[in-house]
Amino acid sequence: RTVKAVEEVYNSLPNEYKRLIQLRYWTSRQYRWEQKMTWEKIANEIHISERQALRWRDEIVYAIAEKLGWR
């Protein structure tokens, strides 16, 4: 159920939002000690402010929560 909700929301997102998801959560790391990209780095990569990146993240999380009936 959760996977389906995430998949549905992800597939409905604009490409810029998808890029944010890819950079933050789905980028593979070569070495296990490497950290996830910071929100600052992600924002720079997709040419938005860090605050905007966090807003987009929140929108995505809320959309998934609605699909799951949590909101």
Side-chain angles (χ1 to χ4, degrees):
R1 181 172 163 228
T2 303
V3 170
K4 184 178 178 185
V6 170
E7 188 175 83
E8 287 177 10
V9 169
Y10 178 81
N11 288 333
S12 71
L13 294 173
N15 288 335
E16 297 85 6
Y17 284 52
K18 288 178 181 177
R19 183 74 179 131
L20 177 132
I21 297 276
Q22 292 164 356
L23 290 171
R24 179 63 181 185
Y25 301 107
W26 296 342
T27 301
S28 62
R29 293 170 287 199
Q30 272 188 313
Y31 306 102
R32 62 184 180 150
W33 60 84
E34 287 184 47
Q35 298 296 313
K36 291 180 185 173
M37 285 185 77
T38 65
W39 288 110
E40 180 182 11
K41 287 181 183 178
I42 292 167
N44 287 333
E45 180 80 21
I46 56 179
H47 309 293
I48 61 173
S49 70
E50 182 178 355
R51 184 68 203 124
Q52 186 64 41
L54 294 171
R55 282 189 201 107
W56 288 4
R57 178 213 50 199
D58 291 349
E59 288 177 37
I60 295 164
V61 169
Y62 292 141
I64 293 168
E66 280 190 29
K67 283 271 185 205
L68 293 169
W70 297 350
R71 281 185 47 113

